[in-house]
Amino acid sequence: MVRMAAGQSACIAACLIMKTYHIHIGGLVQGVGFRPHVYKIAEQMALTGWVSNTKDGVHIEINAEETVSALFYRSVIQQPPDNAVITAHSIKEVAPKTFSSFSILPDNTDSKPDLLLTPDFAICEHCKNETADPKNRRYRYPFTTCLHCGPRYSIIKALPYERYHTTMSHLPMCEDCSDEYNNVYDRRHYSQTNSCNKCSIPMHLFSAAGKIISHQPEEILINCKQYFAAGNIIAVKGIGGYLLLCDATNESAVQQLRSRKHRPARPFALLYASIENASKDVHISEYEEAALKDKAAPIVLCRLKEVQQNEICTYVIAPGLDKIGIMLPCAPLLQLLVNDFGKPLITTSANISGSPIIYNDEEALEKLSGIADYIITYEREIVVPQDDSVLQLTDKGEKIILRRSRGMAPNYFPNPFEATDECILATGGELKNAFAIQERHRLYISQFLGNQESLASQEAFTHTSNHLFDLLQTKPSVILADKHPGYFVSQRANELSLENNIPLFSVQHHEAHFGAVLAENGLLSAQEPVLGIIWDGAGYGDDQQVWGGEFFVFEYGEINRTVHFDYFPQLLGDKMSREPRLSALSLLKQLPAKQSVLEPYFSVTEWQYYQQLIKQPATLLTSSVGRLLDAVACILGICSINTYEGEAAMKLEAVARSYRGEMTDYYPLPVKNNRIELLLMLQDMMHDREAGMPVNQVAAKIFYSLALTVGRMSDHLGIDKIAFSGGVFQNALLTNMIDSLYAGKKQLYRHKQLSPNDECIGFGQLACYHLSKKRQMEMQLPASMIISEMN
C-alpha cells in the first residue's frame, strides 16, 4: 500500500497539471471489499473522485496528475483485497471533471453484466474471534460477517452486488452497524451483509410439529446443546441450505438419522470445532489442513486413526470405509453450535434421500418434520441452494474434487475458450449434473445439481439456470446436450431448443469428459497427441453400447476412440449399476464353473432367473471400468448390492488401501484388436481367491494392474501425454499408484477446478463444441457435420 502524508500529496498535486482518469476493473471484484480498498488508497494519496460497483465490475474516476494516476492505478491493481480476482483492467484519460472529495457512488449505469459472481465465503478468523470474545459487541452473534466472509452468491437477486439486491434488503442496520459501514478504516466499511445483535437477523426454533419454541438466539443455542446431548436431530439452516446435525458419538442418534433419512450405509460427514479437535480422530496432512481452512470450507476426506479420542462411532458413520469427511464451520451459527456442544457433530444435507438440498423455510418445516426433532430457521432467504463442496487429496497434495458446490461455484477462471458472440448453455450429464454457460468471454459452471432422474433435481436445474440467466441478463442462443436420447437432461435440452427455436447439438459423454480435462490443462491446441483415459460407470456410446473403459487419442484437433476394455453384458440396464452382483455374474459368464461363488448373493428364484438370463444373447454391452470394479467387490465378498452410488468401489478402495505389502505382482490385461481382454485377469483373480490370498491383497493387485495398464497403453500408442477423467479417477489409491509409477516419466494431466466425475460434462461439452467450431472454420464445413444436431 502506498502511504504518503496527506498534506504533502495535496501540495504536489496542486503544483502539477490535473487530469481526469477513468479506471475499469473486471473480474471477481464485488462483495470482496474492493470499493473500500480503492477508497483507502485514494484518501491516502489525497485524490478526489469516486468508485462504484456496476454490472461489469468496478469503475473509478479520479483527478490526478499523470504520474500520480499511474501510481494510484498500480496500487489498486497490484494489491487487491484477498478474495478478489482481477481478470481485466484499464485506465484512460476522459473529459475533465472536478470532484470536491472522494466518494463511493451507487450504480447509475445500465450496462450488460460482465463480471465473475462472488461465491460464498466461510467465516474468517476475525469474525470467529469476535463471536468468542465476551467484550465484543458481536459476542455469540450467529450471523457475524464482514468484507472478507459471509454469504454472497446464495443471497444475490440482481447485479451489482448491493444490499438492496440481496435477501437482506428488508433488514435495516442499527446505528453502530451504520457507523461501521461508513467508516473507511473499519473492516465492515461497505460490508453489505453487516448486522449485529442489535439489528439481528430474526431467528426461530421450531419443534418437529411446527410449534415455535423460541425467537431468542441465545436461548436457541442453549436449547440446542441440551437437544444434542439428549440424542436429538436438529435441522439447521446453513449458508446454502438446511443441514441435519446430531451427536457423532451417540450411536442411537446416528442410527435414528439413518433410519429417518432412509440412508442405511452412505457415509456421513463430521463437523469439528477446530483442526486440533479433528486431529484426535483422523490423520490430517498439511495439504488436508490447508484445504479445511480454505475460504470455501469444503468437506475433506481424511484417513481415520486406529483410535478416535472423541469416541465417534465410526462403524455407523462410515461403515466399511477407512476415510471420513470432515469439515470446519463455514458459518458462525455452526461454529457456536459445535463449540457449545464440545463434541463433533454429524452434518449432512437436509433432504429426502436422492433429492436436492432443502433451502426454503416453509419446505423445511413441512418436509423435515419426519426427520428432525427440531428445526432452526432465520429470515435471510437463500436464493441459490448449494450443498457443501467435497474433496480429497492425493499423496502429492493434488485435489480430487468430489462435489463442486458452495464456495466453489459458479465461476470458472481463467476461461480456456475463445470469446464468442453466442450465449451457450451446456446442459451437462444426467448423474451429478452441473450445467455450464459461456457468455462472451465469461464462463460459469453451476453447483452440483444431483441426479436429473429426480423431479426435484430437474426443478433445481431450472431454478438455478433461470436465476443465473436473469443475473447475467441474457438467454441461450445455442444448447449442448449429452447424446443419450433417454436422459431427462437431454430431453429438457431438446424442449428448450424447440421452445426457443435455437440450435441444439449433442456431444458423446466420454468425449465430453476428455474435452473437459484437455481444456482444464490448456491442451485444446496441443501440437502433440494426447492420450485420454476415461473410466467411469456408464455413458451412451456411438455404437449404442454402454461405454466406460475408454482410451481416446486427441490429435489434429480431433478426438478418436482408439482402445477400450472388453465388452461384457449390461444386465437389466441401470439395475446393474445398483447391484454389483449382476456385474460379477455378467463378467463370470466367461467362466461358468466359477459362477457358484456368487450364488449366496441371490435367492433361489433369483439365481434360477439370472442363470437363464445370462445364457441369452446380450442385447446391450458395456466396457465400464466402474462395473468391473463393482464385480470385483462382489466376487471378493465386499459388497453385492449398493445402497448408495459408488458404495462397492469405495469399499473396495478402502480394503485395498489396508494392504501394506509392496506391489510387484499384477494381473494380465493384454490388448488384442484394440480391446483390453479381461479373461486372463478374471482367471488369475479367481485362482488367487481360491488359493487363499488375502482379500486386501487381491483388491490392491486389481488397482495396481489398472495403474500399470495406463503406462502400457501409453507405450503401446507411443504417447507420453496422458489425461484422465471419469468417476473412477475419484479413487485416490489408483491416482497415487499411477503417480508413483509414472510421475516424472510421463506427462500426467488431471482436473484442477472440476471433478473428474460427471460434474465436468457440461464444461467438456463446451470444449467439444469449440473444437468443432474450429474444425468448421478450418474445413469450411457446416457445424451439423461435425456435431450431430438432435432436433
Short mmCIF file of all heavy atoms in Angstrom, two decimals, residues 80-113:
data_model
loop_
_atom_site.label_atom_id
_atom_site.label_comp_id
_atom_site.label_asym_id
_atom_site.label_seq_id
_atom_site.Cartn_x
_atom_site.Cartn_y
_atom_site.Cartn_z
N PRO A 80 -4.73 -6.04 -4.52
CA PRO A 80 -6.18 -6.15 -4.37
C PRO A 80 -6.56 -6.82 -3.06
O PRO A 80 -5.72 -7.45 -2.40
CB PRO A 80 -6.58 -7.01 -5.57
CG PRO A 80 -5.40 -7.88 -5.80
CD PRO A 80 -4.20 -7.01 -5.50
N PRO A 81 -7.82 -6.75 -2.65
CA PRO A 81 -8.29 -7.49 -1.47
C PRO A 81 -8.05 -8.99 -1.63
O PRO A 81 -7.99 -9.51 -2.75
CB PRO A 81 -9.78 -7.16 -1.42
CG PRO A 81 -9.92 -5.88 -2.17
CD PRO A 81 -8.88 -5.92 -3.25
N ASP A 82 -7.95 -9.68 -0.51
CA ASP A 82 -7.60 -11.10 -0.52
C ASP A 82 -8.51 -11.95 -1.39
O ASP A 82 -8.04 -12.87 -2.08
CB ASP A 82 -7.61 -11.64 0.91
CG ASP A 82 -6.44 -11.12 1.73
OD1 ASP A 82 -5.48 -10.62 1.12
OD2 ASP A 82 -6.51 -11.21 2.97
N ASN A 83 -9.80 -11.69 -1.36
CA ASN A 83 -10.74 -12.55 -2.09
C ASN A 83 -11.00 -12.11 -3.52
O ASN A 83 -11.78 -12.75 -4.24
CB ASN A 83 -12.08 -12.60 -1.33
CG ASN A 83 -11.97 -13.34 -0.01
OD1 ASN A 83 -11.16 -14.24 0.14
ND2 ASN A 83 -12.79 -12.96 0.96
N ALA A 84 -10.37 -11.03 -3.95
CA ALA A 84 -10.60 -10.51 -5.30
C ALA A 84 -9.83 -11.31 -6.34
O ALA A 84 -8.76 -11.86 -6.07
CB ALA A 84 -10.20 -9.04 -5.37
N VAL A 85 -10.39 -11.36 -7.55
CA VAL A 85 -9.71 -11.93 -8.71
C VAL A 85 -9.89 -10.93 -9.85
O VAL A 85 -11.01 -10.72 -10.33
CB VAL A 85 -10.31 -13.29 -9.13
CG1 VAL A 85 -9.63 -13.80 -10.40
CG2 VAL A 85 -10.16 -14.31 -8.01
N ILE A 86 -8.81 -10.30 -10.26
CA ILE A 86 -8.87 -9.32 -11.34
C ILE A 86 -8.61 -10.02 -12.66
O ILE A 86 -7.58 -10.67 -12.85
CB ILE A 86 -7.84 -8.19 -11.13
CG1 ILE A 86 -8.18 -7.41 -9.85
CG2 ILE A 86 -7.81 -7.25 -12.33
CD1 ILE A 86 -7.14 -6.36 -9.49
N THR A 87 -9.57 -9.92 -13.57
CA THR A 87 -9.42 -10.56 -14.88
C THR A 87 -9.13 -9.56 -15.98
O THR A 87 -8.68 -9.93 -17.06
CB THR A 87 -10.69 -11.35 -15.24
OG1 THR A 87 -11.79 -10.44 -15.36
CG2 THR A 87 -11.00 -12.40 -14.18
N ALA A 88 -9.43 -8.30 -15.75
CA ALA A 88 -9.19 -7.25 -16.76
C ALA A 88 -9.15 -5.91 -16.06
O ALA A 88 -9.83 -5.70 -15.05
CB ALA A 88 -10.28 -7.26 -17.82
N HIS A 89 -8.32 -5.01 -16.59
CA HIS A 89 -8.27 -3.66 -16.02
C HIS A 89 -7.75 -2.70 -17.08
O HIS A 89 -6.97 -3.07 -17.96
CB HIS A 89 -7.42 -3.61 -14.76
CG HIS A 89 -6.03 -4.14 -14.93
ND1 HIS A 89 -4.97 -3.37 -15.36
CD2 HIS A 89 -5.52 -5.38 -14.75
CE1 HIS A 89 -3.87 -4.10 -15.42
NE2 HIS A 89 -4.18 -5.34 -15.05
N SER A 90 -8.20 -1.48 -17.00
CA SER A 90 -7.77 -0.46 -17.96
C SER A 90 -7.87 0.92 -17.34
O SER A 90 -8.65 1.14 -16.40
CB SER A 90 -8.65 -0.52 -19.22
OG SER A 90 -9.99 -0.23 -18.90
N ILE A 91 -7.08 1.86 -17.87
CA ILE A 91 -7.13 3.25 -17.44
C ILE A 91 -7.07 4.12 -18.69
O ILE A 91 -6.35 3.81 -19.65
CB ILE A 91 -5.98 3.60 -16.47
CG1 ILE A 91 -6.10 5.07 -16.00
CG2 ILE A 91 -4.62 3.32 -17.08
CD1 ILE A 91 -5.12 5.42 -14.88
N LYS A 92 -7.86 5.18 -18.69
CA LYS A 92 -7.84 6.10 -19.83
C LYS A 92 -8.18 7.51 -19.35
O LYS A 92 -8.90 7.69 -18.36
CB LYS A 92 -8.83 5.65 -20.90
CG LYS A 92 -10.28 5.68 -20.47
CD LYS A 92 -11.21 5.22 -21.60
CE LYS A 92 -12.67 5.23 -21.14
NZ LYS A 92 -13.58 4.78 -22.21
N GLU A 93 -7.65 8.48 -20.05
CA GLU A 93 -7.98 9.87 -19.75
C GLU A 93 -9.35 10.19 -20.35
O GLU A 93 -9.66 9.76 -21.46
CB GLU A 93 -6.92 10.81 -20.32
CG GLU A 93 -7.15 12.27 -19.96
CD GLU A 93 -6.08 13.19 -20.55
OE1 GLU A 93 -5.06 12.68 -21.05
OE2 GLU A 93 -6.30 14.42 -20.52
N VAL A 94 -10.18 10.91 -19.61
CA VAL A 94 -11.51 11.29 -20.07
C VAL A 94 -11.66 12.81 -19.97
O VAL A 94 -10.76 13.52 -19.51
CB VAL A 94 -12.61 10.58 -19.25
CG1 VAL A 94 -12.54 9.07 -19.47
CG2 VAL A 94 -12.48 10.89 -17.77
N ALA A 95 -12.78 13.29 -20.40
CA ALA A 95 -13.04 14.73 -20.36
C ALA A 95 -12.90 15.24 -18.93
O ALA A 95 -13.34 14.58 -17.98
CB ALA A 95 -14.44 15.02 -20.87
N PRO A 96 -12.28 16.40 -18.75
CA PRO A 96 -12.01 16.93 -17.40
C PRO A 96 -13.28 17.11 -16.58
O PRO A 96 -14.32 17.54 -17.08
CB PRO A 96 -11.35 18.28 -17.68
CG PRO A 96 -10.82 18.18 -19.06
CD PRO A 96 -11.77 17.30 -19.80
N LYS A 97 -13.20 16.68 -15.33
CA LYS A 97 -14.28 16.87 -14.36
C LYS A 97 -13.66 17.35 -13.05
O LYS A 97 -12.46 17.16 -12.81
CB LYS A 97 -15.04 15.55 -14.12
CG LYS A 97 -15.69 14.97 -15.37
CD LYS A 97 -16.32 13.62 -15.07
CE LYS A 97 -16.85 12.97 -16.35
NZ LYS A 97 -17.39 11.62 -16.10
N THR A 98 -14.47 17.95 -12.23
CA THR A 98 -13.98 18.44 -10.95
C THR A 98 -14.72 17.74 -9.83
O THR A 98 -15.95 17.69 -9.82
CB THR A 98 -14.19 19.96 -10.83
OG1 THR A 98 -13.50 20.61 -11.89
CG2 THR A 98 -13.65 20.47 -9.49
N PHE A 99 -13.98 17.15 -8.91
CA PHE A 99 -14.55 16.48 -7.75
C PHE A 99 -14.05 17.19 -6.48
O PHE A 99 -12.88 17.54 -6.38
CB PHE A 99 -14.14 15.02 -7.72
CG PHE A 99 -14.45 14.27 -8.99
CD1 PHE A 99 -13.43 13.87 -9.85
CD2 PHE A 99 -15.75 13.96 -9.33
CE1 PHE A 99 -13.70 13.17 -11.01
CE2 PHE A 99 -16.04 13.27 -10.51
CZ PHE A 99 -15.02 12.88 -11.34
N SER A 100 -14.91 17.35 -5.52
CA SER A 100 -14.53 18.02 -4.28
C SER A 100 -13.99 17.06 -3.24
O SER A 100 -13.32 17.48 -2.29
CB SER A 100 -15.74 18.76 -3.70
OG SER A 100 -16.80 17.85 -3.44
N SER A 101 -14.28 15.75 -3.41
CA SER A 101 -13.82 14.74 -2.45
C SER A 101 -13.82 13.39 -3.15
O SER A 101 -14.17 13.29 -4.33
CB SER A 101 -14.76 14.70 -1.24
OG SER A 101 -16.07 14.33 -1.64
N PHE A 102 -13.46 12.37 -2.42
CA PHE A 102 -13.56 11.01 -2.98
C PHE A 102 -14.73 10.32 -2.30
O PHE A 102 -14.88 10.36 -1.07
CB PHE A 102 -12.27 10.21 -2.76
CG PHE A 102 -12.21 8.99 -3.64
CD1 PHE A 102 -11.65 9.07 -4.91
CD2 PHE A 102 -12.73 7.77 -3.23
CE1 PHE A 102 -11.61 7.97 -5.75
CE2 PHE A 102 -12.70 6.66 -4.05
CZ PHE A 102 -12.13 6.76 -5.32
N SER A 103 -15.56 9.66 -3.08
CA SER A 103 -16.77 9.06 -2.52
C SER A 103 -17.07 7.72 -3.19
O SER A 103 -16.56 7.42 -4.27
CB SER A 103 -17.96 10.00 -2.68
OG SER A 103 -18.14 10.32 -4.05
N ILE A 104 -17.93 6.94 -2.53
CA ILE A 104 -18.45 5.69 -3.09
C ILE A 104 -19.85 5.98 -3.59
O ILE A 104 -20.72 6.39 -2.82
CB ILE A 104 -18.46 4.56 -2.04
CG1 ILE A 104 -17.04 4.23 -1.59
CG2 ILE A 104 -19.14 3.31 -2.61
CD1 ILE A 104 -16.94 3.18 -0.51
N LEU A 105 -20.06 5.78 -4.88
CA LEU A 105 -21.33 6.13 -5.50
C LEU A 105 -22.14 4.87 -5.82
O LEU A 105 -21.58 3.82 -6.09
CB LEU A 105 -21.10 6.91 -6.80
CG LEU A 105 -20.37 8.25 -6.70
CD1 LEU A 105 -20.26 8.88 -8.09
CD2 LEU A 105 -21.10 9.17 -5.73
N PRO A 106 -23.47 5.00 -5.82
CA PRO A 106 -24.31 3.88 -6.27
C PRO A 106 -24.21 3.73 -7.78
O PRO A 106 -23.82 4.66 -8.49
CB PRO A 106 -25.72 4.32 -5.85
CG PRO A 106 -25.66 5.81 -5.83
CD PRO A 106 -24.27 6.16 -5.37
N ASP A 107 -24.55 2.55 -8.25
CA ASP A 107 -24.52 2.29 -9.69
C ASP A 107 -25.61 3.09 -10.39
O ASP A 107 -26.77 3.07 -9.99
CB ASP A 107 -24.74 0.80 -9.94
CG ASP A 107 -24.89 0.48 -11.42
OD1 ASP A 107 -24.21 1.14 -12.22
OD2 ASP A 107 -25.68 -0.42 -11.75
N ASN A 108 -25.24 3.82 -11.42
CA ASN A 108 -26.25 4.54 -12.19
C ASN A 108 -26.13 4.24 -13.68
O ASN A 108 -26.53 5.03 -14.52
CB ASN A 108 -26.13 6.05 -11.95
CG ASN A 108 -24.75 6.59 -12.35
OD1 ASN A 108 -23.92 5.83 -12.83
ND2 ASN A 108 -24.54 7.89 -12.15
N THR A 109 -25.53 3.08 -13.99
CA THR A 109 -25.38 2.70 -15.39
C THR A 109 -26.35 1.59 -15.73
O THR A 109 -26.95 0.96 -14.85
CB THR A 109 -23.95 2.19 -15.66
OG1 THR A 109 -23.74 0.97 -14.94
CG2 THR A 109 -22.91 3.21 -15.22
N ASP A 110 -26.51 1.33 -16.99
CA ASP A 110 -27.38 0.26 -17.45
C ASP A 110 -26.61 -0.69 -18.35
O ASP A 110 -27.10 -1.16 -19.36
CB ASP A 110 -28.58 0.84 -18.19
CG ASP A 110 -29.68 -0.21 -18.38
OD1 ASP A 110 -29.76 -1.13 -17.54
OD2 ASP A 110 -30.42 -0.12 -19.37
N SER A 111 -25.37 -0.96 -17.96
CA SER A 111 -24.51 -1.82 -18.77
C SER A 111 -24.92 -3.27 -18.63
O SER A 111 -25.59 -3.67 -17.66
CB SER A 111 -23.05 -1.66 -18.34
OG SER A 111 -22.92 -1.96 -16.96
N LYS A 112 -24.51 -4.09 -19.58
CA LYS A 112 -24.80 -5.52 -19.54
C LYS A 112 -23.87 -6.18 -18.53
O LYS A 112 -22.68 -5.89 -18.50
CB LYS A 112 -24.60 -6.13 -20.93
CG LYS A 112 -25.04 -7.58 -21.04
CD LYS A 112 -24.91 -8.05 -22.47
CE LYS A 112 -25.28 -9.53 -22.61
NZ LYS A 112 -26.68 -9.80 -22.31
N PRO A 113 -24.36 -7.08 -17.69
CA PRO A 113 -23.49 -7.74 -16.71
C PRO A 113 -22.29 -8.42 -17.37
O PRO A 113 -22.43 -9.10 -18.39
CB PRO A 113 -24.41 -8.77 -16.05
CG PRO A 113 -25.77 -8.18 -16.19
CD PRO A 113 -25.77 -7.48 -17.52
#
